[in-house]
Amino acid sequence: MYKIEEGQVVLLVARTNTSTDNLDTLQKLRSTLLSQVGSAGRVDFEQVDRIDVGAVRLGSAKYDIVLVSPVEPRVVEHSSRVLESILLALKPKGKLIIQELALDSGSVLQTSPVTRTKDDIVQQLKFSGFVETEVNSTELVSANELYYLAETQWKLGEPSLFVSEANGHLWTATISAMKPSYDVGAATALSFGKKTKKGQNNINSSSVNTEKKRVWMLNVESDDETEIVDQDGLLEDEDLIKPSAEALARPEGVKTRRRACKNCTCGLADGDEFDESVACEPEGSRLKKPKKPVDVVNLKSSCGNCGLGDAFRCGQCPFIGLPAFEPGEKVTLGGNMLRDDLLM
């Protein structure tokens, strides 16, 4: 039987039907559990179908042990919603004992609603959040129970055909699991990069050594204790003598280095070898002779368009800006163009 301690809170989850034997079995099991927990404990009951459809909420961290499908008829598969609700209802390190029909490993039944093996059930419990899952026992389902399930629970068309196919391949697996030691929403401080004292736990935030960081600083508590270096003491007697003009003069035989002029062509600016005896003549240093003034009156046009006006003159025409004129005619500004506007 189940190991129940005095004062524990137990939840009984099963499927009920109108069968008298089923109700009597559940009542006897509940009475046995009540005698084990005593007056300080409690035994609650809830239907697995109501949990599956979300008609009831089991609460959070209320039960020490949950027994699922301990009597016939057993549910074919416990859904993830049922297992997650039970996990939430268990206290930390609370225990789950579940019984479920399971197939042989590698067996495939065409008309059987049972599709999972005991390993699949264990995997489903782990996915739901349980730890320390273990298959406690397996019991072969008898032919009479198979016929009852096929005819009454699963409503199969030919129960006898199902019994002949499934006999020896269906088992009742009893599996135990445990809720982790932490509850949903639990939090703890992480001590990444923090030093702890010897013998203390890093996970406990109260034990983390929070020593202040050492900061580099100058000791300026008293001016009397601080030794200041005399700057005059760093100078020698020779450093205080003013140099003479002869000492600063250029030594004999040392030629001055000629500086490169603008637009240098001798190679001095580029650091190349050059002849110091040759004077440097930069490009463009020679002055260009000024052009002779243009004789506008006696100038003959090579294009023949100079007298026609600016619209017909080229860009280098000396008559740009002057009015149109006849060849040989003196260009004058007539009218009042030469009179001051202020005097008009």
Side-chain angles (χ1 to χ4, degrees):
M1 207 55 174
Y2 306 106
K3 295 181 181 180
I4 308 296
E5 298 179 1
E6 186 177 357
Q8 288 185 332
V9 182
V10 183
L11 174 63
L12 186 61
V13 179
R15 172 181 287 181
T16 60
N17 57 9
T18 56
S19 174
T20 306
D21 296 337
N22 175 262
L23 297 176
D24 292 342
T25 306
L26 282 175
Q27 187 62 35
K28 290 179 181 180
L29 177 60
R30 187 173 184 275
S31 301
T32 303
L33 296 175
L34 284 173
S35 62
Q36 292 178 352
V37 299
S39 59
R42 189 175 78 250
V43 178
D44 295 339
F45 173 79
E46 190 56 61
Q47 296 187 27
V48 66
D49 297 332
R50 287 167 50 85
I51 300 175
D52 194 12
V53 298
V56 63
R57 294 184 178 180
L58 302 179
S60 177
K62 293 174 57 178
Y63 300 101
D64 299 296
I65 298 179
V66 177
L67 306 177
V68 181
S69 301
V71 298
E72 300 176 0
R74 294 182 173 86
V75 181
V76 176
E77 291 183 358
H78 295 91
S79 64
S80 300
R81 185 171 188 175
V82 173
L83 297 178
E84 292 172 0
S85 299
I86 294 174
L87 178 69
L88 183 63
L90 279 171
K91 296 179 181 179
K93 292 187 177 181
K95 191 174 184 180
L96 167 68
I97 300 177
I98 184 173
Q99 291 184 348
E100 185 174 322
L101 297 177
L103 277 174
D104 281 338
S105 299
S107 300
V108 178
L109 303 180
Q110 299 296 331
T111 59
S112 173
V114 182
T115 59
R116 299 196 298 194
T117 63
K118 58 183 180 181
D119 296 333
D120 296 335
I121 301 174
V122 171
Q123 187 178 20
Q124 182 67 25
L125 289 172
K126 292 180 179 180
F127 285 162
S128 299
F130 289 94
V131 296
E132 299 184 14
T133 55
E134 182 182 1
V135 180
N136 298 332
S137 63
T138 54
E139 182 181 355
L140 186 64
V141 180
S142 63
N144 293 333
E145 187 176 356
L146 287 175
Y147 189 87
Y148 172 78
L149 291 172
E151 183 180 22
T152 306
Q153 299 296 324
W154 300 333
K155 307 295 182 180
L156 299 180
E158 298 180 0
S160 301
L161 181 61
F162 170 75
V163 172
S164 61
E165 181 185 6
N167 192 18
H169 298 286
L170 282 180
W171 300 77
T172 300
T174 303
I175 303 174
S176 63
M178 183 179 295
K179 183 177 180 177
S181 58
Y182 53 86
D183 199 0
V184 176
T188 184
L190 300 178
S191 57
F192 293 155
K194 296 182 180 179
K195 297 181 179 180
T196 57
K197 296 180 180 180
K198 294 182 179 180
Q200 292 183 346
N201 189 5
N202 294 341
I203 299 179
N204 189 2
S205 59
S206 62
S207 64
V208 176
N209 184 16
T210 57
E211 295 182 355
K212 295 183 178 179
K213 296 182 179 179
R214 297 180 180 179
V215 181
W216 182 85
M217 59 183 298
L218 294 175
N219 184 12
V220 290
E221 296 179 358
S222 176
D223 295 338
D224 298 336
E225 298 178 358
T226 305
E227 296 182 0
I228 301 177
V229 178
D230 187 7
Q231 298 180 1
D232 295 336
L234 300 177
L235 298 176
E236 301 293 340
D237 295 338
E238 298 177 356
D239 299 331
L240 301 177
I241 300 175
K242 184 178 180 180
S244 60
E246 291 77 9
L248 298 177
R250 184 183 303 109
E252 296 181 0
V254 178
K255 297 181 179 180
T256 59
R257 182 173 178 80
R258 193 173 65 191
R259 294 184 180 182
C261 56
K262 187 178 180 181
N263 300 327
C264 178
T265 58
C266 65
L268 178 60
D270 299 331
D272 300 335
E273 296 182 358
F274 63 96
D275 188 1
E276 295 184 359
S277 61
V278 179
C280 181
E281 295 183 1
E283 295 179 356
S285 60
R286 297 180 179 179
L287 298 177
K288 297 181 179 180
K289 296 180 179 180
K291 296 182 179 180
K292 295 180 179 180
V294 180
D295 187 3
V296 179
V297 178
N298 300 322
L299 183 64
K300 294 183 179 180
S301 175
S302 60
C303 61
N305 297 329
C306 296
L308 300 180
D310 288 345
F312 302 91
R313 293 167 182 165
C314 60
Q316 304 297 330
C317 184
F319 297 99
I320 291 180
L322 298 178
F325 59 91
E326 294 294 334
E329 180 184 359
K330 184 179 180 180
V331 181
T332 58
L333 299 177
N336 58 358
M337 295 294 296
L338 299 178
R339 298 181 62 184
D340 195 348
D341 295 339
L342 298 178
L343 301 179
M344 295 177 61

